[in-house]
Amino acid sequence: MTESSNVQLRCELCQIEINETADQGDEVVFSRGATGSRSKLWARVCQYLKTDEQKAACINQDATQRGSEKPGDRYEEIAPVEVGSTQASN
Ligand SMILES: [Zn+2]
């Protein structure tokens, strides 16, 4: 009896849980803040995993499950102070 109909996946690396029964787009429970989508999780955390070992442990490495990254998925970063002109505008 190891199976459960309501499995909550947990990614120790990313410190999140994925609630597969939640509505799509609101299934990832972050350690703090609001819930979000898998693409959001990817944009914020999972893509930064470096080693194969880390990637193997991460539950959000499947591109077909997370979908493509959407605007707003990333942290709203404060733009680096624009000194000089090293950053091309695009
Ligand atoms: Zn992960």
Side-chain angles (χ1 to χ4, degrees):
M1 297 292 265
T2 54
E3 279 186 53
S4 168
S5 58
N6 185 15
V7 179
Q8 195 144 26
L9 300 170
R10 178 172 169 78
C11 184
E12 297 292 340
L13 286 173
C14 303
Q15 299 289 300
I16 56 83
E17 288 178 358
I18 292 178
N19 180 5
E20 294 206 297
T21 60
D23 291 337
Q24 204 167 25
D26 197 28
E27 59 189 343
V28 177
V29 183
F30 292 91
S31 55
R32 64 185 183 87
T35 56
S37 62
R38 287 185 189 228
S39 64
K40 192 176 202 171
L41 171 63
W42 169 260
R44 295 187 175 197
V45 186
C46 301
Q47 67 168 318
Y48 300 110
L49 299 179
K50 292 286 192 289
T51 68
D52 287 344
E53 195 175 41
Q54 287 178 319
K55 288 173 185 174
C58 180
I59 60 178
N60 194 36
Q61 294 290 315
D62 189 338
T64 61
Q65 283 197 302
R66 69 174 183 263
S68 54
E69 186 183 326
K70 297 169 192 63
D73 279 351
R74 289 166 186 264
Y75 286 116
E76 290 170 37
E77 287 179 286
I78 300 165
V81 182
E82 288 178 36
V83 278
S85 56
T86 50
Q87 288 241 317
S89 59
N90 62 35

